[in-house]
Amino acid sequence: MIFRMEADGLEWLFILLHQIVSWGASGAMVFGGVVPYIPQYRDIKRTQNAEGFSTYVCLVLLVANILRILFWFGRHFESPLLWQSIVMIFTMLLMLKLCTEVRVTNELNLKRRSFADFDLHYFWHWSKFTDYVQCVLTFTGVTGYITYLSLDSALFVETLGFLAVFTEAMLGVPQLYRNYQNRSTEGMSIKMVLMWTSGDTFKTVYFILNQAPFQFSICGLLQVLVDMAILLQVYLYTYYPQKPASHAAHPVSAKAL
């Protein structure tokens, strides 16, 4: 009888521990993705310089997470992944707001650019945060309407899921290209990239263990490879400095993409 009570007690303890670990993993999935941007946000706030950070990273994540939310309507996946997308969208909007305010403050060109200009040369380089919000809402409305009309198509739903995670897998590419153009990683938070790498590794393992749709696992692995390429740039440009590549002259307002 005593042994049975001890066995029941141990079983209850294991169930409790499993639940706590499960909650912890879910919490890490929801909020872990935004943690890498905290040091970058603080660096920009402290230096009042956003040139080292590519705001196209925000564009990639906004598109990826909007598509992922739409994918959920066609094929339900785990709730933590859905909440992760919602939290990430708000985080990227905060990053954009800060970067826009800092860039406009430091900008020499007084001519203002807006989303309503429909000038592709200045796409994602507008003068007001509200223009970015308009763009995001327009994209959400158009893709949401198309998704609503096509939810009955399994091919469309699976393609939407692939586009969501593939876009997210390209997260580090704008920063990778930015560093290559500058021949430097100055202004980019190395802590952010290290957190990207650890977070993407954890996320990929989470996808595999929880049998998430296969698109998530494949693109998670691709994301880790891009993170490692950026870390390689940090090493090369730190220990083997290179001269910045010469580019054709651009207007001042075209900086800090």
Side-chain angles (χ1 to χ4, degrees):
M1 187 71 176
I2 295 176
F3 288 118
R4 185 175 178 180
M5 290 178 62
E6 289 180 352
D8 290 342
L10 286 174
E11 183 180 358
W12 179 84
L13 180 61
F14 285 136
I15 292 174
L16 178 62
L17 288 174
H18 179 270
Q19 191 64 52
I20 292 173
V21 171
S22 178
W23 286 340
S26 297
M29 281 302 301
V30 173
F31 298 104
V34 306
V35 173
Y37 299 96
I38 295 175
Q40 184 68 70
Y41 186 94
R42 293 178 63 185
D43 285 349
I44 294 172
K45 192 85 171 175
R46 176 176 53 82
T47 63
Q48 288 298 295
N49 186 343
E51 296 234 354
F53 176 71
S54 174
T55 54
Y56 280 106
V57 169
C58 300
L59 174 62
V60 169
L61 278 174
L62 285 167
V63 170
N65 285 284
I66 290 169
L67 292 180
R68 188 197 285 184
I69 291 172
L70 295 176
F71 176 54
W72 183 85
F73 288 100
R75 181 179 174 185
H76 286 10
F77 46 80
E78 290 197 332
S79 296
L81 298 179
L82 178 64
W83 283 106
Q84 180 197 53
S85 292
I86 295 171
V87 171
M88 184 61 75
I89 287 171
F90 281 105
T91 302
M92 289 302 100
L93 290 175
L94 284 175
M95 286 293 296
L96 274 175
K97 186 175 186 298
L98 176 64
C99 290
T100 304
E101 290 173 351
V102 169
R103 190 187 68 242
V104 170
T105 300
N106 297 332
E107 209 169 47
L108 298 178
N109 189 344
L110 298 179
K111 187 173 182 179
R112 297 303 184 218
R113 303 289 177 178
S114 69
F115 172 64
D117 293 336
F118 298 110
D119 187 344
L120 291 179
H121 184 66
Y122 289 94
F123 176 76
W124 210 247
H125 189 80
W126 302 305
S127 303
K128 292 183 179 179
F129 171 66
T130 52
D131 291 304
Y132 294 93
V133 175
Q134 290 174 25
C135 180
V136 170
L137 290 177
T138 301
F139 176 78
T140 304
V142 172
T143 53
Y145 182 67
I146 294 173
T147 301
Y148 174 74
L149 295 178
S150 308
L151 277 179
D152 292 335
S153 170
L155 177 61
F156 174 83
V157 171
E158 292 301 323
T159 302
L160 183 64
F162 175 77
L163 288 175
V165 291
F166 181 76
T167 304
E168 185 176 358
M170 295 296 101
L171 160 66
V173 173
Q175 192 65 56
L176 187 75
Y177 181 67
R178 176 88 175 194
N179 296 340
Y180 171 76
Q181 279 189 314
N182 295 340
R183 297 293 192 271
S184 169
T185 56
E186 185 178 354
M188 179 195 75
S189 172
I190 299 176
K191 291 179 182 178
M192 177 186 71
V193 181
L194 288 171
M195 290 180 184
W196 274 358
T197 308
S198 58
D200 291 338
T201 302
F202 169 80
K203 182 171 62 178
T204 304
V205 172
Y206 181 92
F207 290 157
I208 295 172
L209 294 180
N210 287 275
Q211 298 181 337
F214 78 97
Q215 301 102 316
F216 286 61
S217 301
I218 297 298
C219 292
L221 290 171
L222 179 58
Q223 207 166 350
V224 173
L225 291 176
V226 174
D227 295 340
M228 293 176 67
I230 296 177
L231 289 175
L232 180 61
Q233 284 183 322
V234 173
Y235 172 80
L236 291 176
Y237 295 149
T238 300
Y239 293 99
Y240 304 95
Q242 301 180 33
K243 293 182 179 179
S246 58
H247 302 289
H250 292 286
V252 175
S253 60
K255 290 183 179 179
L257 295 177

